[in-house]
Amino acid sequence: MSWIIILLIVAFFVWRMKPAKGIRTLSTTEVKALTKDKSKQFVDVRTPGEYKGRHVKEFKNIPLNDLGKRMSELDKSKETYVICQSGMRSARAAGMLKKAGFTDVINVKGGMSAWQ
């Protein structure tokens, strides 16, 4: 009986960490080459303090906690690249954007920790 509970817990965490359908993942190297493209939008979902400490100027800071009420600042039809510190918050943000009707959402794998 206890192994079933353990299996269910593991399955739940695997399911939660899976990227949402329709969300692509790109490496920081791949995204760097795209940051000058004005037809794309870049969103950093870290806190203002994290953003102030180190950021990529093309990324607009909209903290994850504020994303729901600030989505109107973004264009749903543009490719939207989302970054955080490690990739976890940006994966959540990407899912929120996709559910809100954004057509092309990309999570930056590894986040700012991987940005060279």
Side-chain angles (χ1 to χ4, degrees):
M1 181 68 167
S2 63
W3 66 270
I4 292 174
I5 293 171
I6 293 170
L7 183 63
L8 288 173
I9 292 170
V10 169
F12 173 77
F13 282 108
V14 168
W15 174 75
R16 291 285 294 166
M17 295 177 87
K18 223 173 54 168
K21 285 185 179 180
I23 297 173
R24 294 184 292 145
T25 302
L26 290 179
S27 71
T28 56
T29 305
E30 293 169 302
V31 174
K32 274 184 199 177
L34 304 170
T35 57
K36 301 298 181 207
D37 187 339
K38 299 294 182 197
S39 69
K40 300 172 186 342
Q41 60 190 349
F42 302 91
V43 181
D44 186 326
V45 296
R46 296 177 300 151
T47 65
E50 288 173 301
Y51 183 81
K52 186 178 179 183
R54 178 175 176 242
H55 66 274
V56 178
K57 69 177 181 173
E58 290 83 9
F59 280 81
K60 178 178 187 168
N61 185 222
I62 302 178
L64 181 60
N65 293 341
D66 298 338
L67 186 60
K69 59 185 172 242
R70 292 183 59 191
M71 279 189 201
S72 62
E73 297 175 25
L74 302 171
D75 185 341
K76 287 184 177 186
S77 65
K78 284 187 175 184
E79 277 187 352
T80 305
Y81 293 78
V82 188
I83 197 168
C84 67
Q85 189 62 38
S86 66
M88 297 299 287
R89 284 178 284 179
S90 58
R92 278 188 51 207
M96 290 170 63
L97 292 169
K98 195 68 178 174
K99 286 178 185 172
F102 284 73
T103 54
D104 201 359
V105 183
I106 298 93
N107 183 30
V108 181
K109 182 180 178 182
M112 287 301 294
S113 294
W115 199 275
Q116 301 289 334

